[in-house]
Amino acid sequence: GLAANDSREHQYQLWIFDAQRDDRYPVDGGVFDVGAGGEVVVPIHARLPVSQAALFAVTVEKPGGVVVSAGERIVVLAKAAQA
């Protein structure tokens, strides 16, 4: 249900909240775009090792993403499935 974006203006960025890390610093999972069709497969490219994924969030950020998100434009939250 994410709106299509113009990657020159903004991109979506995935964040992984690791139960073993401080919640203020989720792990960058990479940036992605949504095309006009609306369907997208989100590639996850964690920049740091993740021990226990607890929550995933998607934010709207500047092109290329950010190192630390202000978390002002969260568009999706999803709790990780428990094994």
Side-chain angles (χ1 to χ4, degrees):
L2 295 174
N5 68 300
D6 180 344
S7 62
R8 295 169 296 180
E9 294 180 17
H10 66 270
Q11 289 188 288
Y12 293 104
Q13 188 164 0
L14 175 68
W15 299 96
I16 307 163
F17 289 81
D18 187 340
Q20 305 299 317
R21 295 180 182 272
D22 187 325
D23 284 346
R24 295 176 295 172
Y25 305 107
V27 175
D28 173 11
V31 295
F32 64 97
D33 299 307
V34 176
E39 187 172 320
V40 64
V41 174
V42 179
I44 300 175
H45 300 288
R47 305 292 185 222
L48 297 170
V50 175
S51 298
Q52 185 179 353
L55 183 73
F56 295 89
V58 174
T59 59
V60 177
E61 305 291 353
K62 67 181 184 177
V66 296
V67 176
V68 177
S69 177
E72 296 170 345
R73 296 181 67 190
I74 297 173
V75 292
V76 176
L77 282 174
K79 187 173 182 180
Q82 300 300 317

